Amino acid sequence: MNPPSPSAAARRPGARRAARLPVVALTALALLLSAGLTPAAATEGQWLNEGGPARSPEAMASDWFRGDNYQFVRGEDNQIWWRYANGSWRVMPGNGRTHHRPDVTIIEDQLGPHLVVFHTGDNGEVYYSILGGAAGNIWSPWAQLGHVGTNRGISAVGYRDSAVLSTVVGDRIWVARMTMSNGRVTIGPHWSPQTRPRVFTAATYIHAPLITNDGVSVAHEVELMDAIVGRDRNVWISHTSPDNLINATYTAVPGNAQCDSVGLGRGGPEQPVTDRNHPAWRAQRNVTLGCISPNDHQLYLNRSTDGGYTWQGWNHSTGGPSPSDAAPAIEGAPGGEVFASISWGNDTAPFSRHMVVNKRVL
């Protein structure tokens, strides 16, 4: 793999060093937006080549850990590749293979924060590996997390000493919770279907959970937010206590932005700030949804600055075309910025098909 060119992430405000992306592959999604779309409400950046010479038909997973941005992808060889701080791309040890996008999150216990990577194996089971030393490429062996039997990808979001995991089995959302203590998994997950699953499209689904502060109720300190796509092709979201995952309820995002799948992300620190006087309070309220239209195969966005309780409306990404046949990745930065990345969907200038491009969207 040749070293890529300077990345867009390196230009992000507040970034120390950022990473880019090798060859990857992605699930297709679509969005049928209503007529009369207006320009995006927020000032956007320009598309920049995030992956250099790499080609990536699948979204990249990334997270901020100890001041650096870590990135993970499924290669065209179906192996899981990783890099951090503009270092070289490496294959994760342990011969982990997947046909889906991996995911990454941070879990914090008595020993401090831990970077944990998840993927769905070829056998339909979920596996994890914990970073033990970035410089030496030290990862724990891949370990299986219970039994779920899915043919979809895995989504993970960490909060304190736990992670919430979700996938799709048939036409239902299945969730599990994993807990760590002293650097080890102490409570392995028991997978359970949600009691009120949305009738989302079974063919294509991306579950994008998100931790944000609860700006309405004081009943709990943090909440989980996730986005799904119903069989009505609308996007539905849930704000749920971590203790009530099975009984999560969903409401439709206004605008009837008919989607086959959805990306969701927020800005701010990985661990949510509960003090409203803390500078990160406002940063973590920046939330963005992203979808690709089946009509023009372009990126459309919907933004919120209050943690996903009210939305500004669906709008086409500004600054020129944004062709993609695959789901966008929506990722945040500690300063509150939110970025969208796509796999370029054709060979029109300034990019080639499946080049990984990135821009700020909030």
Side-chain angles (χ1 to χ4, degrees):
M1 184 179 301
N2 295 324
S5 59
S7 74
R11 301 175 178 88
R12 299 175 186 170
R16 277 178 51 192
R17 304 171 73 186
R20 297 172 296 277
L21 192 146
V23 282
V24 268
L26 220 211
T27 54
L29 88 157
L31 168 70
L32 179 60
L33 288 165
S34 56
L37 293 170
T38 58
T43 301
E44 296 182 24
Q46 296 297 314
W47 288 113
L48 299 171
N49 181 3
E50 180 77 1
R55 300 296 180 266
S56 173
E58 184 160 34
M60 174 180 64
S62 67
D63 212 335
W64 289 87
F65 182 65
R66 301 189 185 279
D68 283 310
N69 189 243
Y70 287 70
Q71 297 179 328
F72 302 84
V73 295
R74 183 190 83 168
E76 290 182 341
D77 56 4
N78 292 330
Q79 296 188 93
I80 301 169
W81 294 71
W82 77 289
R83 68 173 293 171
Y84 84 108
N86 280 341
S88 60
W89 284 102
R90 314 180 242 189
V91 176
M92 288 189 63
N95 197 34
R97 293 181 179 272
T98 184
H99 284 84
H100 305 279
R101 173 181 178 266
D103 206 356
V104 57
T105 194
I106 294 172
I107 303 175
E108 188 165 0
D109 64 10
Q110 304 95 321
L111 300 182
H114 305 277
L115 192 73
V116 188
V117 179
F118 301 86
H119 79 274
T120 301
D122 291 342
N123 61 355
E125 303 303 339
V126 174
Y127 296 84
Y128 73 92
S129 179
I130 304 172
L131 179 67
N137 192 18
I138 302 171
W139 292 90
S140 66
W142 291 107
Q144 184 174 327
L145 288 169
H147 172 71
V148 62
T150 178
N151 62 355
R152 307 294 185 85
I154 180 68
S155 292
V157 60
Y159 68 100
R160 291 179 173 76
D161 64 348
S162 300
V164 168
L165 311 171
S166 61
T167 188
V168 176
V169 178
D171 64 350
R172 302 186 71 180
I173 303 168
W174 284 62
V175 295
R177 185 168 171 175
M178 180 181 104
T179 301
M180 290 184 64
S181 178
N182 292 315
R184 297 178 179 272
V185 175
T186 57
I187 301 178
H190 171 70
W191 291 93
S192 301
Q194 290 186 340
T195 57
R196 301 174 185 173
R198 304 309 308 175
V199 284
F200 51 82
T201 303
T204 312
Y205 175 76
I206 292 179
H207 183 225
L210 162 78
I211 285 188
T212 181
N213 276 78
D214 183 356
V216 176
S217 169
V218 295
H220 50 271
E221 202 171 279
V222 297
E223 64 184 5
L224 298 179
M225 178 181 172
D226 64 287
I228 65 171
V229 177
R231 283 187 180 158
D232 60 0
R233 301 299 179 90
N234 203 353
V235 178
W236 296 71
I237 59 172
S238 173
H239 294 264
T240 309
S241 163
D243 297 324
N244 196 38
L245 297 172
I246 299 301
N247 298 312
T249 58
Y250 294 82
T251 58
V253 176
N256 193 32
Q258 303 287 294
C259 299
D260 283 339
S261 56
V262 61
L264 170 69
R266 71 162 173 90
E270 174 70 20
Q271 294 293 337
V273 174
T274 57
D275 179 3
R276 296 177 188 237
N277 296 318
H278 193 285
W281 168 263
R282 182 177 297 275
Q284 67 192 3
R285 310 295 283 172
N286 291 338
V287 181
T288 299
L289 290 163
C291 285
I292 305 297
S293 167
N295 291 338
D296 58 10
H297 301 284
Q298 303 285 312
L299 175 67
Y300 289 81
L301 302 165
N302 203 341
R303 303 170 177 86
S304 172
T305 57
D306 65 358
Y309 286 95
T310 60
W311 297 91
Q312 298 176 3
W314 291 98
N315 299 279
H316 187 284
S317 171
T318 62
S322 53
S324 180
D325 296 320
I330 310 295
E331 305 286 354
E337 307 91 341
V338 181
F339 296 83
S341 64
I342 61 173
S343 171
W344 200 251
N346 55 40
D347 289 314
T348 58
F351 306 113
S352 300
R353 181 176 293 273
H354 290 171
M355 290 180 74
V356 179
V357 298
N358 171 284
K359 71 184 300 185
R360 179 178 174 175
V361 296
L362 183 60

